[in-house]
Amino acid sequence: MPTPNPRHPNFPIPGGPQLRAKGWRQEALLRLLENVLSVGEDPDNLVVYAALGKAARNWASHDAIVSALKSMDEDQTLLIQSGKPIGLLKTHARAPLVIMANCNLVGQWAKAEIFYELERKGLICWGGLTAGAWQYIGSQGVIQGTYEIFMRIAEKRFDGGLAGRFILTAGLGGMGGAQPLAGRMAGAAILVVEVDPERARKRREIGYLEEIAPDLDTALAMVDAAVKDKRALSVGLVGNAADIYPEIARRGIVPDIVTDQTSAHDLVYGYVPRGYTLDEVRELRRTDPAQLMSASRASIVPHVEAMLDFQRRGAEVFDNGNLIRTQAREGGVENAFDIPIFTEAYLRPLFARAIGPFRWMAQSGDPDDIRRIDDRLLQMFPDNWIVTNWIGLARRYVPFEGLPSRIAWLGHGERTELALAVNDMVGKGELLAPVTFSRDHLDAGAMAHPNIMTERMKDGSDAIADWPLLDAMLLCSSMADLVVVHSGGGGYAGYMTSAGVTVVADGTEAAAERLSHALTNDTALGVMRYADAGYEESLEEVAKKGIGYLGVK
Ligand code: NAD
């Protein structure tokens, strides 16, 4: 039985024992599509997150995907091009059920303006990373990543803890909405500036944000009191970050950590420039996108200048993957890249070992299935501090959204081990229904993004997109259930390519084989990508785990 969804009543949360497709593999992918809409930002328009990240091209495409998933046999493969189903072909029962290519434009054409034009003509749509591939699990998908960033900063700068520290950030959207909870879990007092009051309210309703302050003075007083008491606190403030950041700097206040997660990558459909109301921006999106683009870029200039100012005065400032430095540099802030990117600054040693954001979703819709998997995970990896610490925190703080899911940063071998144990649990009836395994596209072998994931790689291979393409082909050869190649849309056009994967653990021997090949090879490629770029940790991992890297110079 689907569960009612108070946030989006027309998009119930899937679940229950009833199959509508011819098998659990197809049913699970159908539920994942339903799930991304149930937890999405604007499901009526098929938008899942990041302003334009869509689950399907349009409603006709959506409906055709649903009927194909319901009617297809296990030995067929559904082809999806930028959110539109193109054909259902006979392959074989070990082939992927769904393969997708979303938003891939030829190099010289991969520009925001061309993307918008093709999008308006209905020829393309952007899948974000996990939106178009039906792998998004709500804001919790980025919570652990954000939390791990804060903790790496705590280790680097603040004796391992953030109690009594002030984090300033902006954006309470689909991804950015994770920030207040991650900051609170890390023990900090976090202030999040958000221009849209509706977004702030939504985050408070689902328990990710504790308080909304009526004005800046009150917000700063609340943060100040929490810092003095070394009390964890999350406060939202409705306002424009391009006004509020410079004002905080003008008052001489220097937060300990500063970042930003507005949709700065998209100057038309994402970022809201200062001096404009939300209604004016909505109107300009329709009538004069070019004016909006230049207003947004002009607004990002003081926004990033304030971040640089905080950095000069000692704050730990980083770009959290929204292209804000790139936009600022194009707007004339020549030293915007003095701000480091989070991947290089804090997470690269983990990615070099292919430790990254692995996740699983309980198809039953029952949170107890996730709790049982948590228990098994803790039994299996008692010495893995990142995992044991995270599961304890997640159980305490992270509310389930949509299909009950869990994220945990696991590496090569660990992912496969867990997935096989869970498949066994499904087979023995210890879980109510199958479980799907997936991961973020921001993963070791899966993404080329020279301003985010692969910035300043040791060997300078930042812009080479062969790795995600190899990854996707390898995943098809490794019998994954869904494989996707995504490239950037909107302001990300021309900036990135990534690969995504989903495998269904339905308790069968065949699923064990699929999980084993797909998950093992996916992380093996990740380790090899970094080994090839000369990272010591990766070469150690190759030797320790017997990964078949050839090491040709
Ligand atoms: P979203 O579009 O759902 O939310 C963005 C929010 O920013 C909206 O609520 C919007 O109202 C707000 N906003 C826009 N302009 C503002 C301004 N000037 N001041 C204050 N608030 C403003 O997007 P999202 O899914 O939350 O993602 C945010 C950004 O982070 C995107 O650029 C996305 O691509 C990026 N991202 C990075 C990572 C990562 O790996 N670190 C992960 C996910 C998303």
Side-chain angles (χ1 to χ4, degrees), residues 41 49-51 126 142 170-177 193-196 199 239-242 261-265 270-274 278 299 303 320-323 342 440 442 452 492:
E41 291 301 298
Y49 61 72
W126 182 46
V142 285
L172 285 170
M175 296 288 186
V193 183
E194 165 58 58
V195 76
D196 183 345
R199 299 288 186 114
N240 195 303
Q261 229 174 358
T262 59
S263 276
H265 73 275
Y271 191 80
V272 175
R274 71 179 185 180
L278 287 172
S299 174
H303 188 154
N320 200 0
N322 63 351
L323 230 53
F342 71 100
D440 195 4
L442 190 110
I452 297 185
Y492 283 131

Side-chain angles (χ1 to χ4, degrees), residues 5-20:
N5 181 1
R7 216 177 120 198
H8 301 303
N10 294 332
F11 297 88
I13 300 158
Q18 201 70 40
L19 288 189
R20 295 154 302 168

